[in-house]
Structure formats: C-alpha cells, structure tokens
Amino acid sequence: MHNKWYWTFKYILVGPFLRAWNRPEIEGLENIPAKGSAILASSHQSVMDSFFFPLMCPRQITFPAKSEYFTTPGAVGRFQSWFFTSVGQVPINRNEAGAAEAMSKAAQEVFDRGDLFGIYPEGTRSPDGRIYRGRTGMARIALSTGEKIVPVGMIGSRDANPIGSWLLRPRKVRMRVGEAIDPIAFVKAQGLEPDSQEAVRVLTDHVMSVLVELTGYDYVDVYASEVKKSLEAGKGYPRGAEPRFS
C-alpha cells in the first residue's frame, strides 16, 4: 500500500468507524490476487462502495472517479477534490469524447505498476438496488490487455447509504468476491475472436450474470443511466425496466 493517505483513511480516519458502524464482511477474498495486476469489476449500489470494498481488500485499489468530484466549486468541492486526489483516484469525464481512451490509459498505468484497477461495469449507481446492463469499457480493457476480471458483488451498501442521503445508516454490508475470469480464454471458449465487437458484449454480459449470482439481486437488461434519466424527467421507468412487485 504505497499511498500514505490511502493507508491513513483506511486504518485511522475512516476504516475503524465503518467497521464498527456497518460491520462489513467479505467472502471469497482468496480470489483477489496477492500480487500483480487485475481488474476488480464491482456491482454499484452506493457511493460508499468505494469505501467498503477497499476497506476489506488487503491491497490498494485505484478507481476511476467522476471528473465532477474534482471540479465541483465551493468548500465541499475542494474537499472532494483533495480527498480523491490524495487517495490516488483517477478523474474521468464520462461525457466527453475520448472518455473510453482516457479510461484505458488510466487502467494501463495501474497495470504497469502491478496494481488493482477497480471499475463499476454498470457505469453508475443502481437506482433501485437491482443489477443493470453493463457498459463494455471493462471488457474492452480486459480483452485488449489480457488482465483477469475479478467480480465483486456488493450487498447491503444501498441500505447503509441510499442515493441522496448524506447520513450513513448502521446497516450491515457484505461483499462476495467471485473467481477470476480469464477474458481471452472465456471468449475463445464461446467461439469468438477477442478483438470482435460480439466478444466485448458477450464478456460484459457474462460478468453481469456473475454479479447477479453473487448478490442475488434481480437483473435489468437496460442501462442504469437511461433509467435514471427517465425517472428524473418524470417519465417513470422505461419499458422493460419496471420493478416487479410481489
């Protein structure tokens, strides 16, 4: 753990409180490589996912972070920028042309150091706790570099930190880590060429299906960002994404 601020937040300033308040548990920790680079592909339930999982992971993780976290004005914005910079996170403007290239470059820098690159394939937090259709950036990085993908299912973090809430609730948080996926071997086993567009989509969908298995949450074959946009516009859930009520 080569970042001193990362270590300080994890073991002194934030970590002890989270351990006592949310009693986090992790299963499958042995699936995270003890050394060397890899992609950690996590489901995304809350902002605190980027705190809970690094707290339980013995190695430092670098996540790409929304560029807004580094550019928001005011005192809160300055604190956010300082915090994310101090713990070594990488700003990515997801709305700009070239965002995918910037993501790949950031990931390669992490791999070159022999470190872990964390990514949320859904691209944004789930609006309701379900697992949503994955963006293909993770698969593109994995297939172009050959880095293995370690799936991580976050369970209960949305209950502890609902969207829009600044107060952390004393809800238990769990994490389940699945077996590493060799991206090249997987797509070849499906009869696909690693550099094909079909391989990118198939690998992405496979990782999302594993995340569903790890969490037990329902899957929605719609992008979470599209659902959020529809809800914010007052149009409700788009067709195919409506929650099922029992």
Side-chain angles (χ1 to χ4, degrees), residues 13-141:
L13 298 180
V14 178
F17 167 76
L18 294 181
R19 287 182 181 275
W21 192 248
N22 297 107
R23 310 175 307 285
E25 293 181 354
I26 190 165
E27 176 185 338
L29 198 59
E30 68 278 3
N31 292 320
I32 299 174
K35 60 181 180 178
S37 54
I39 298 169
L40 302 180
S42 174
S43 60
H44 201 12
Q45 298 282 306
S46 79
V47 169
M48 292 302 295
D49 292 339
S50 296
F51 291 78
F52 288 125
F53 184 55
L55 174 64
M56 304 304 289
C57 180
R59 297 181 59 193
Q60 182 170 330
I61 308 168
T62 298
F63 284 96
K66 292 192 299 183
S67 59
E68 296 95 306
Y69 290 151
F70 298 82
T71 59
T72 303
V76 173
R78 289 194 296 273
F79 174 79
Q80 282 185 163
S81 177
W82 170 80
F83 173 78
F84 284 104
T85 300
S86 67
V87 295
Q89 305 308 280
V90 182
I92 300 291
N93 189 333
R94 296 177 297 186
N95 298 318
E96 280 189 353
E101 183 179 349
M103 178 82 76
S104 296
K105 181 180 179 181
Q108 189 60 60
E109 290 176 356
V110 174
F111 301 149
D112 289 343
R113 299 196 304 264
D115 287 345
L116 301 175
F117 185 73
I119 190 169
Y120 298 115
E122 292 163 283
T124 186
R125 286 171 289 166
S126 169
D128 51 28
R130 296 179 293 172
I131 304 291
Y132 279 79
R133 181 176 174 85
R135 299 285 181 177
T136 58
M138 166 208 62
R140 292 181 189 281
I141 293 171

Side-chain angles (χ1 to χ4, degrees), residues 114-199:
D115 287 345
L116 301 175
F117 185 73
I119 190 169
Y120 298 115
E122 292 163 283
T124 186
R125 286 171 289 166
S126 169
D128 51 28
R130 296 179 293 172
I131 304 291
Y132 279 79
R133 181 176 174 85
R135 299 285 181 177
T136 58
M138 166 208 62
R140 292 181 189 281
I141 293 171
L143 289 169
S144 65
T145 63
E147 294 288 347
K148 291 186 177 180
I149 303 168
V150 180
V152 181
M154 299 298 302
I155 304 169
S157 59
R158 181 173 179 269
D159 297 328
N161 177 221
I163 291 179
S165 174
W166 284 84
L167 296 177
L168 189 62
R169 301 175 182 180
R171 302 290 193 272
K172 188 171 184 61
V173 175
R174 296 188 295 123
M175 289 141 268
R176 296 187 67 196
V177 183
E179 295 183 1
I181 300 167
D182 184 322
I184 306 296
F186 173 79
V187 298
K188 285 186 174 180
Q190 314 306 310
L192 301 172
E193 291 298 322
D195 59 353
S196 68
Q197 180 61 36
E198 186 179 2

